[in-house]
Amino acid sequence: MSIIEAKNIYKVYNETKVPVNALNGVDLKIEEGEFTAIVGPSGSGKTTLLNILGGLDLPSKGDIFIEGTNLKDLSSRQLINFRLHNIGFVFQSYNLIPVLTAKENTEFILELQKVPKKERMQKALELLEAVGIADKVDHKPGQLSGGQQQRVAVARALASQPRFIIADEPTANLDSRSTNELLEIMAEMNRKYHSTFIFATHDQRVMDKAHRIVTIDDGKIIGDETFKGR
Amino acid sequence: MLFAIAWRNLWRNKLRSAIIFTSIAVGIIGSVVSDGFMSGMTDQRVNAAIANEVSDIQIHNPAFLLNGEMQYQIPDAGQSLKKIESIPDIKGVSLRMKTSAMAASANSGAGITILGVNPAAERKVSNLHALIIEGKYLSVKEKNPTVIGQKLAHKLNLELGDRLIVTLTDSSGTITSGAFRIVGIFKTANDRFDVANVFVNKKDLSNLIGYPANTGDEIAIRLKTNNQTPEAMKALHHIFQNEIQNKEIVVRSWDQIQPLLKSMISMMDYFSYIFLFIILAALAFAIINTMLMAVMERTREIGMLMALGMNKRKIFSMIMLETIFLSIVGAVLGLLISIFVINHYATYGFDLSSVAKGLNYIGYSSRIFFRVNTNFYVMSMVLVVLIAVLSSISPALKALKLQPAKAIREDI
């Protein structure tokens, strides 16, 4: 069974005033361990699709199944809890909690999952070491570069051991060195932990690393290519 | 970690937090200090009234209270004094002869109350002997001495050593006059008391008006501390059960003698609460504004927390905790400064000598010693935190309405 199955997804914004059709009948399946990039021009519906796949938004029509659970059947509280235990997020502008250190940011999600303190501390340190900032665990986001902050965000996304990670333009604010390092880390995590990554991106460097590229335009999937051997 | 986030969030916008801390602190200082000032004024007035004017408890013949004639004496006064002295917590008892009279000097006259007292007993009941500003207090060794208030001395244009002529009704109903030598001039904080009361030796007054020196129409009782009044009243009602039932005597505490003082205490308390509530209302708006700004500024962050899986209860708690911390820091700061200010003015007094004349006219001293009940400190603190919590409900609810997908992309 696919991890994610989107069936005939439509998303209309502003339904009552001037309707904007962001998605027009999207069907998509994501398998475990995939390293998928969703690409397309601005306004093509990438972010909308990503939000729906990540349970941050619900489709106007159609169904989205995550390992057999239809997200439309979940209450708002159940959906929050579902995200907590099943989906990791990496955002374009890092979105770390500015008052917490790198270690605390990584631990935070584990605390929400009620993981015991000792265990979560150990796990946070382990992940921060894996993303290469073991020496900056006590730094707050304001004391870290963009690339370092995004690495903490990746560590945080992985900490909750999600079924998949949604990354919306994760490299958009990074220089090429940081981008390459981050992509290498995510690819390594994908190989090591078999973590499933879904990116929305414009960045050719991300596309070059992706195992699968789904192209979207005008709210429809217009291309879906798989690259074996990457 | 929720506590850590809420606490550290306070320090993200230091200037804004500092403004709120200061507002809360100033609010608390304002309400506590105004309460301290008003309580201090009330205390001073009540204590002065008890110490210098009415004492804690007085006993009279009920008929005397109706028409003020000396023939309505306290029956068997000597025996009554002995009974009263047996009550514990009694500091002093004084049997007085009290009547209305006309006082005259060479060029003026005034209606007064003349009190014939036993100086030794009176010293234990009234603090007047300590308020002599010229000369000395009464003594039985001299013949016909009197002490009068400074205000009366000015009014009658009299000085120390001058003679005061009083005209009053004697025991046979005849108008009689007597001369008393001014040996002391007193000054209390109450001009109206000073202008209307003259003290003489009871035996001299007795000689003048013909009532025996061991009789009297007023017993003044002073307790060791003011707050023992209810117990002492109970004991007196027990001792004089029959006399009270037979309407031979009436026992009244200071607040029954001067009900205005009692209502003044309630009024001052009432003012303190009104002041506190006005301050709290202003604080509520400041806190709502601050927390709304905090929520709006952090839309993206709150959206991210929701996206990650932080439930609404925790988001709500985080904003509440932030407000509670904000209000506690401000309240503690305000309380510490208030305690310092109150202690300072409780020790050294607050000088209002520039308006002393007006204050003395209405019975107040020009130096106010602040006092605040511990209850008021606690209540101010609790109410500030409570108001802060209530004020942050609306911003917290606003945060809960955010849609994570939209909030994350919000530009800040």
Side-chain angles (χ1 to χ4, degrees):
Chain A
M1 188 170 52
S2 309
I3 288 190
I4 305 172
E5 189 174 356
K7 281 186 176 172
N8 199 25
I9 299 286
Y10 285 81
K11 181 69 186 178
V12 185
Y13 291 114
N14 251 345
E15 273 182 277
T16 52
K17 293 175 185 170
V18 186
V20 177
N21 295 307
L23 294 176
N24 294 305
V26 171
D27 288 293
L28 182 68
K29 281 185 180 179
I30 304 280
E31 305 299 330
E32 188 172 8
E34 275 189 13
F35 203 70
T36 302
I38 297 172
V39 302
S42 290
S44 59
K46 296 189 299 292
T47 296
T48 304
L49 178 58
L50 221 56
N51 284 341
I52 287 173
L53 296 180
L56 294 177
D57 209 349
L58 288 172
S60 308
K61 197 177 137 195
D63 293 296
I64 171 88
F65 295 92
I66 312 272
E67 292 202 311
T69 303
N70 190 340
L71 296 190
K72 281 176 106 176
D73 295 339
L74 300 179
S75 67
S76 146
R77 181 188 282 192
Q78 286 170 326
L79 193 59
I80 290 174
N81 203 40
F82 189 85
R83 286 200 299 266
L84 174 63
H85 291 279
N86 296 282
I87 310 169
F89 292 92
V90 177
F91 304 101
Q92 179 179 337
S93 33
Y94 329 129
N95 282 356
L96 297 174
I97 303 168
V99 293
L100 298 184
T101 62
K103 188 178 76 180
E104 288 168 335
N105 262 290
T106 315
E107 266 185 74
F108 177 68
I109 197 131
L110 294 166
E111 190 181 314
L112 292 179
Q113 288 183 332
K114 298 191 170 68
V115 174
K117 192 171 181 178
K118 203 174 164 187
E119 197 182 318
R120 65 178 190 244
M121 202 147 65
Q122 197 180 341
K123 194 162 187 182
L125 290 174
E126 198 179 290
L127 281 163
L128 289 169
E129 195 179 344
V131 297
I133 49 165
D135 56 333
K136 296 200 163 45
V137 293
D138 291 322
H139 286 51
K140 287 188 180 158
Q143 299 164 311
L144 299 172
S145 69
Q148 289 166 335
Q149 287 188 56
Q150 202 60 304
R151 289 187 206 194
V152 177
V154 170
R156 179 179 68 183
L158 287 165
S160 61
Q161 288 185 304
R163 299 297 295 131
F164 59 93
I165 290 165
I166 297 277
D168 187 9
E169 310 261 13
T171 57
N173 294 336
L174 302 183
D175 59 27
S176 33
R177 191 178 153 203
S178 300
T179 299
N180 287 334
E181 284 172 358
L182 187 79
L183 286 171
E184 199 44 60
I185 286 164
M186 290 199 275
E188 172 68 19
M189 296 297 146
N190 173 252
R191 283 192 294 272
K192 196 171 165 187
Y193 300 112
H194 210 52
S195 310
T196 309
F197 281 86
I198 306 161
F199 301 90
T201 189
H202 281 114
D203 191 333
Q204 188 58 47
R205 291 164 297 191
V206 179
M207 293 181 217
D208 291 345
K209 286 266 181 195
H211 304 167
R212 181 181 170 193
I213 295 180
V214 176
T215 311
I216 186 168
D217 198 8
D218 288 336
K220 282 183 179 166
I221 292 178
I222 57 165
D224 190 346
E225 287 177 279
T226 306
F227 304 93
K228 287 190 176 162
R230 277 192 183 172
Chain B
M1 211 172 279
L2 214 55
F3 281 84
I5 295 175
W7 175 253
R8 292 181 201 172
N9 274 340
L10 283 192
W11 311 103
R12 282 169 73 170
N13 192 331
K14 291 190 179 72
L15 178 66
R16 192 171 62 207
S17 294
I19 290 171
I20 287 295
F21 295 153
T22 312
S23 313
I24 294 174
V26 167
I28 288 195
I29 295 165
S31 66
V32 169
V33 169
S34 73
D35 181 64
F37 178 79
M38 289 192 274
S39 300
M41 274 186 92
T42 314
D43 282 359
Q44 178 267 319
R45 178 71 199 105
V46 169
N47 291 339
I50 291 172
N52 310 328
E53 301 166 30
V54 293
S55 62
D56 288 297
I57 297 167
Q58 288 184 359
I59 298 176
H60 296 95
N61 183 324
F64 176 82
L65 292 179
L66 286 176
N67 53 34
E69 286 179 23
M70 281 192 71
Q71 58 173 302
Y72 300 111
Q73 298 195 325
I74 291 171
D76 204 2
Q79 198 57 36
S80 297
L81 286 182
K82 278 185 190 156
K83 284 183 188 171
I84 294 165
E85 278 163 352
S86 70
I87 299 173
D89 307 326
I90 297 280
K91 184 181 163 197
V93 187
S94 176
L95 178 65
R96 295 164 171 171
M97 275 184 187
K98 181 178 180 182
T99 189
S100 304
M102 277 300 293
S105 64
N107 42 21
S108 187
I112 56 155
T113 296
I114 186 163
L115 290 108
V117 299
N118 173 346
E122 192 67 15
R123 276 173 181 271
K124 290 184 184 169
V125 168
S126 158
N127 198 38
L128 216 61
H129 59 90
L131 299 171
I132 300 289
I133 53 167
E134 270 184 83
K136 57 182 183 177
Y137 192 59
L138 297 174
S139 146
V140 285
K141 289 174 192 163
E142 286 156 298
K143 192 159 166 46
N144 288 343
T146 182
V147 290
I148 68 169
Q150 187 190 38
K151 202 79 186 168
L152 183 64
H154 287 164
K155 189 175 178 183
L156 299 179
N157 201 15
L158 291 170
E159 288 178 357
L160 207 61
D162 288 350
R163 286 200 313 166
L164 174 78
I165 310 297
V166 293
T167 306
L168 67 174
T169 312
D170 69 11
S171 58
S172 64
T174 311
I175 302 291
T176 184
S177 290
F180 293 87
R181 181 80 56 196
I182 299 170
V183 296
I185 293 174
F186 64 83
K187 182 176 179 355
T188 69
N190 186 354
D191 285 351
R192 284 181 296 177
F193 178 82
D194 294 358
V195 81
N197 292 281
V198 166
F199 291 79
V200 299
N201 279 340
K202 186 140 73 90
K203 68 175 179 49
D204 297 334
L205 190 61
S206 161
N207 288 340
L208 180 66
I209 56 178
Y211 287 103
N214 59 353
T215 63
D217 47 38
E218 178 173 290
I219 293 176
I221 301 167
R222 191 75 199 280
L223 304 174
K224 284 174 186 158
T225 59
N226 292 352
N227 53 17
Q228 291 162 331
T229 311
E231 289 79 24
M233 284 293 284
K234 218 168 157 185
L236 287 165
H237 274 92
H238 182 68
I239 291 171
F240 295 112
Q241 201 175 357
N242 293 333
E243 290 86 342
I244 292 169
Q245 265 178 8
N246 297 337
K247 296 195 170 21
E248 289 168 13
I249 62 163
V250 58
V251 181
R252 297 181 306 158
S253 56
W254 62 267
D255 50 339
Q256 292 168 316
I257 301 165
Q258 291 208 359
L260 200 64
L261 284 182
K262 182 80 177 172
S263 53
M264 188 181 71
I265 296 172
S266 315
M267 197 174 71
M268 290 294 193
D269 283 347
Y270 192 60
F271 283 162
S272 291
Y273 289 122
I274 288 176
F275 200 65
L276 179 64
F277 283 111
I278 291 172
I279 286 169
L280 288 176
L283 274 185
F285 287 108
I287 291 168
I288 290 174
N289 181 46
T290 304
M291 293 315 292
L292 267 179
M293 281 171 72
V295 167
M296 284 162 76
E297 269 178 13
R298 298 214 298 269
T299 298
R300 195 161 72 184
E301 192 178 316
I302 293 169
M304 176 270 292
L305 292 171
M306 285 174 158
L308 292 184
M310 191 167 176
N311 62 36
K312 291 186 173 183
R313 189 174 54 81
K314 285 195 168 132
I315 301 259
F316 189 82
S317 309
M318 182 182 79
I319 292 167
M320 284 293 177
L321 274 175
E322 210 171 308
T323 320
I324 290 171
F325 288 148
L326 192 71
S327 56
I328 287 179
V329 172
V332 167
L333 189 72
L335 278 185
L336 290 177
I337 297 173
S338 301
I339 290 169
F340 174 79
V341 173
I342 295 293
N343 282 348
H344 176 81
Y345 287 116
T347 311
Y348 301 105
F350 186 70
D351 185 20
L352 284 172
S353 51
S354 58
V355 287
K357 216 170 172 180
L359 284 171
N360 290 350
Y361 183 73
I362 54 168
Y364 287 93
S365 161
S366 59
R367 187 166 282 276
I368 309 294
F369 293 88
F370 290 9
R371 176 185 63 81
V372 174
N373 279 337
T374 316
N375 284 352
F376 195 83
Y377 285 121
V378 175
M379 198 185 64
S380 305
M381 176 103 183
V382 170
L383 281 178
V384 161
V385 176
L386 190 71
I387 286 289
V389 169
L390 292 177
S391 308
S392 64
I393 288 177
S394 157
L397 290 176
K398 192 177 167 67
L400 297 189
K401 284 184 190 151
L402 293 173
Q403 296 296 322
K406 206 172 156 196
I408 288 168
R409 305 187 74 79
E410 192 89 355
D411 279 333
I412 50 169

